[in-house]
Amino acid sequence: MELLDGELELREIQKLEGHTDRVWSLAWNPTGTGVAGMLASCSGDKTVRIWQKGPSGSWDCSAVLEDTHTRTVRSCAWSPSGKLLATASFDGTTAIWERVGGEFECVATLEGHENEVKSVSWNASGSLLATCARDKTVWIWEAQPGNEFECVSVLQGHTQDVKMVQWHPFLDVLVSVGYDNSVKVWTEDGDDDWHCVQTLGEAGSGHTSTVWALSFNSAGDRMVTCSDDLTLKIWDTSQNPSETSGDGSGSWSHLCTLSGYHDRTIFSVHWSRDGLIASGAADDAIRLFTESKDRMVDQPSYKMLVKREKAHDMDVNSVQWNLKEPKLLASASDDGTIKIWELSEVSKVDNFVQSHHLLIGFCQPQVVNSIGLCTLAPLFMSSSRDVKESELLDSKVPIEVFDT
Amino acid sequence: MTFLNYIRDIQDPEHPYTLEELKVVTEDSIEVNDKKSHVSVTFTPTVEHCSLATTIGLCLRVKLMRSLPSRYKDFAGEYTDVTLVWSEHFMVDIRVAPGTHATEAAVNKQLNDKERVAAALENPNLMYMIDRCLEPTDYY
């Protein structure tokens, strides 16, 4: 990505309202329709909503998937083709929806878990689906013709509630995280024989409380996990050939821990294509982290790039980078809303204005039209509060204009 | 002090007494950090192996969720009885008093995992029990 010079911020583009209970999870459609695509959200109100950018440029709810789940819908995931949406619910089932034009139809219901399903994930080819639940198991389902799904393996190993499952971006390697504070890596030995090849627990620099989420980088050689222990941990897979078991997944080791940045549980983490890690936490804030290219330090290290406090009125449950536009971020909250953000530079004028109530600026044509003046000379303008350049252009702020 | 009023009259799930009468909660039970919007509740189960410790903790959580001021506006839609909002104008931590329960860490972890709490509160039987415990406190 081209590096943005100067200070960065998350600018709120739009707030999406509609859900009548907390929004737990989000998923961007990988294929997208139009420029930025389609977003799915799922909620405690038992529904899933589909959001799309309309011709006016604003995001609208284009569909509500309801009357299927009988309890909270906790997680949703698009198949790689973008045609199917899997939704996991506290009702113990995972529903598969097929997109036909603008409509969605429930074409399959996966049953089997003993209690609340917490997460669902598709592998890179769309041939496999993984789900996990409070029953401590991870189930692997094989997609078959005619929207049939067959359970091919039930993975035991976690000693508590499993919070999230995520497939590697291109290998058939599955990672699960949970209430037992551990991260488990699962691979197949051929012929549906899945087993846990590695557990990243407290002993090996692992988390010391519930692990809520994980995300891989686009290269697939690093993953980040977030936890109730208030840290993010970055894990790295060595490519040492003597350590690989032939499946190319390598063995994961702890790279670094980001601590001191969060003071409440971190519920969500997502690694963008461009290498930015976004986190959503119980303090209502969104934070962005990036690898710091500090030449003084031998070890790779990460630093916080942006902190957006009060991103929502309540806990941020999910943060998801748009897959096509790497500067677009979506967030979901206990406050029932979803927000679309754009990562942008704080302009130098904004910086200046924020420290002075008096604004000195060059008159731009848009501003001229809104306040009925025609001049190319600098103007003194004052307002009752700090004004950003972008607001001025939108002419939303009442200002008094004085001719110099 | 106001916060104690919310919880002092909650009925114990097992005994026909309030939590205050049983000294499950006292004046020292609630600590409020107004600046950080943080409320910390510590309760003492009646016996060390109290099997209803988690239920009492949930009663406390539900009562505070329903009572604490929130900037959260009402939804246009309807609330069902079991749809409860995690009041985050105040962040609430609920724990058993240290040393007062055999599985203290396990109880505390459950009570402070909002996903586990949310799922538990979708259980009609549990909600019925909790609502019975909270009924006498409906005036607050």
Side-chain angles (χ1 to χ4, degrees):
Chain A
M1 125 176 134
E2 80 282 8
L3 288 171
L4 297 175
D5 293 324
E7 206 184 320
L8 295 175
E9 65 167 352
L10 275 175
R11 218 163 37 91
E12 184 180 325
I13 302 292
Q14 199 180 338
K15 178 162 76 166
L16 310 179
E17 294 175 294
H19 278 297
T20 56
D21 201 326
R22 66 178 11 134
V23 187
W24 278 111
S25 198
L26 298 169
W28 288 103
N29 187 305
T31 51
T33 49
V35 180
M38 184 187 280
L39 182 67
S41 63
C42 57
S43 166
D45 66 12
K46 308 175 199 170
T47 73
V48 177
R49 280 176 180 253
I50 309 295
W51 310 85
Q52 279 183 272
K53 204 168 176 183
S56 58
S58 81
W59 293 82
D60 302 309
C61 180
S62 61
V64 179
L65 280 47
E66 55 195 341
D67 300 327
T68 296
H69 286 301
T70 55
R71 285 180 63 179
T72 287
V73 189
R74 177 65 180 87
S75 168
C76 53
W78 296 96
S79 64
S81 68
K83 291 206 187 75
L84 299 175
L85 180 70
T87 59
S89 169
F90 281 3
D91 65 15
T93 72
T94 303
I96 309 291
W97 305 79
E98 186 166 25
R99 182 163 66 91
V100 183
E103 305 285 306
F104 287 81
E105 191 196 325
C106 179
V107 296
T109 303
L110 279 42
E111 294 174 340
H113 279 296
E114 283 171 24
N115 46 43
E116 301 90 52
V117 189
K118 305 281 173 97
S119 174
V120 61
S121 177
W122 298 84
N123 71 342
S125 63
S127 62
L128 299 172
L129 197 61
T131 57
C132 63
R134 180 165 60 88
D135 62 13
K136 308 171 195 161
T137 64
V138 173
W139 288 46
I140 301 199
W141 310 77
E142 197 174 75
Q144 283 161 358
N147 289 324
E148 293 287 317
F149 289 82
E150 191 197 323
C151 173
V152 295
S153 196
V154 174
L155 311 180
Q156 322 249 23
H158 278 288
T159 56
Q160 293 276 2
D161 173 16
V162 190
K163 297 291 198 188
M164 189 187 199
V165 282
Q166 193 72 18
W167 288 95
H168 186 276
F170 47 87
L171 299 170
D172 278 349
V173 171
L174 182 69
V175 179
S176 60
V177 300
Y179 192 91
D180 61 7
N181 310 348
S182 76
V183 177
K184 284 183 180 288
V185 184
W186 311 83
T187 58
E188 188 194 16
D189 235 4
D191 218 29
D192 295 338
D193 183 21
W194 290 84
H195 53 272
C196 179
V197 294
Q198 196 175 6
T199 298
L200 306 169
E202 284 179 64
S205 312
H207 287 290
T208 53
S209 189
T210 300
V211 188
W212 280 93
L214 80 136
S215 179
F216 288 94
N217 67 349
S218 52
D221 60 358
R222 287 198 185 162
M223 62 178 173
V224 57
T225 53
C226 65
S227 168
D228 179 62
D229 70 7
L230 315 181
T231 70
L232 296 179
K233 286 182 185 284
I234 315 277
W235 308 86
D236 187 88
T237 177
S238 76
Q239 294 302 321
N240 185 347
S242 64
E243 278 185 84
T244 59
S245 51
D247 56 4
S249 64
S251 136
W252 296 88
S253 60
H254 174 260
L255 189 69
C256 72
T257 294
L258 295 165
S259 54
Y261 296 100
H262 300 84
D263 49 18
R264 301 290 295 186
T265 306
I266 312 159
F267 290 117
S268 175
V269 71
H270 195 223
W271 212 321
S272 79
R273 255 184 27 205
D274 290 345
L276 291 181
I277 297 171
S279 75
D283 63 357
D284 317 346
I286 296 173
R287 294 169 176 79
L288 305 184
F289 298 85
T290 188
E291 189 165 3
S292 77
K293 305 287 183 196
D294 188 350
R295 302 229 182 114
M296 303 284 285
V297 183
D298 249 346
Q299 272 275 82
S301 71
Y302 286 76
K303 61 172 186 193
M304 187 167 75
L305 203 57
V306 172
K307 179 181 180 184
R308 187 47 158 98
E309 286 180 303
K310 292 279 147 225
H312 283 273
D313 289 336
M314 295 168 79
D315 291 10
V316 181
N317 295 323
S318 180
V319 284
Q320 287 288 298
W321 292 102
N322 183 291
L323 305 164
K324 301 260 181 252
E325 281 186 35
K327 294 193 182 49
L328 219 57
L329 180 76
S331 63
S333 168
D334 276 355
D335 65 14
T337 71
I338 296 154
K339 287 190 180 183
I340 310 286
W341 308 86
E342 184 172 26
L343 182 66
S344 48
E345 277 177 45
V346 176
S347 81
K348 291 188 172 60
V349 173
D350 285 347
N351 275 331
F352 178 79
V353 169
Q354 276 156 35
S355 55
H356 303 281
H357 280 284
L358 193 66
L359 182 153
I360 302 167
F362 287 92
C363 210
Q364 309 222 6
Q366 297 97 313
V367 176
V368 168
N369 290 336
S370 71
I371 59 177
L373 289 180
C374 178
T375 171
L376 294 170
L379 299 172
F380 277 103
M381 296 175 254
S382 77
S383 73
S384 56
R385 61 167 179 82
D386 293 342
V387 174
K388 288 193 181 182
E389 179 189 43
S390 47
E391 287 181 74
L392 198 62
L393 295 177
D394 288 341
S395 64
K396 283 197 176 92
V397 180
I399 52 172
E400 279 191 357
V401 182
F402 311 100
D403 213 334
T404 54
Chain B
M1 282 310 287
T2 331
F3 289 97
L4 182 61
N5 283 341
Y6 293 133
I7 64 172
R8 67 197 330 157
D9 292 330
I10 295 174
Q11 286 289 118
D12 181 272
E14 271 183 306
H15 315 292
Y17 297 101
T18 67
L19 294 185
E20 187 177 33
E21 284 165 347
L22 292 170
K23 292 203 180 6
V24 173
V25 297
T26 68
E27 277 181 21
D28 298 325
S29 290
I30 301 203
E31 273 176 40
V32 181
N33 184 331
D34 215 18
K35 271 190 199 140
K36 286 189 181 178
S37 297
H38 185 242
V39 179
S40 179
V41 184
T42 309
F43 70 100
T44 305
T46 47
V47 287
E48 240 190 44
H49 292 274
C50 177
S51 58
L52 290 170
T54 319
T55 306
I56 294 173
L58 284 176
C59 287
L60 291 167
R61 215 175 246 305
V62 171
K63 184 63 183 139
L64 288 171
M65 263 193 237
R66 289 177 179 170
S67 314
L68 290 177
S70 174
R71 277 173 287 127
Y72 191 64
K73 65 178 199 286
D74 283 328
F75 286 126
E78 295 139 32
Y79 279 110
T80 66
D81 287 340
V82 296
T83 302
L84 291 161
V85 170
W86 192 272
S87 174
E88 281 302 270
H89 174 72
F90 283 94
M91 297 173 211
V92 181
D93 285 332
I94 304 197
R95 293 180 213 288
V96 292
T100 64
H101 195 273
T103 61
E104 179 181 322
V107 172
N108 288 340
K109 193 169 186 178
Q110 281 194 77
L111 288 176
N112 295 291
D113 180 317
K114 79 175 182 192
E115 186 183 51
R116 291 290 282 259
V117 170
L121 299 182
E122 284 183 2
N123 177 334
N125 295 329
L126 183 58
M127 272 318 297
Y128 178 73
M129 190 192 281
I130 291 173
D131 279 331
R132 268 183 43 233
C133 295
L134 298 191
E135 203 194 299
T137 72
D138 273 350
Y139 295 112
Y140 291 105

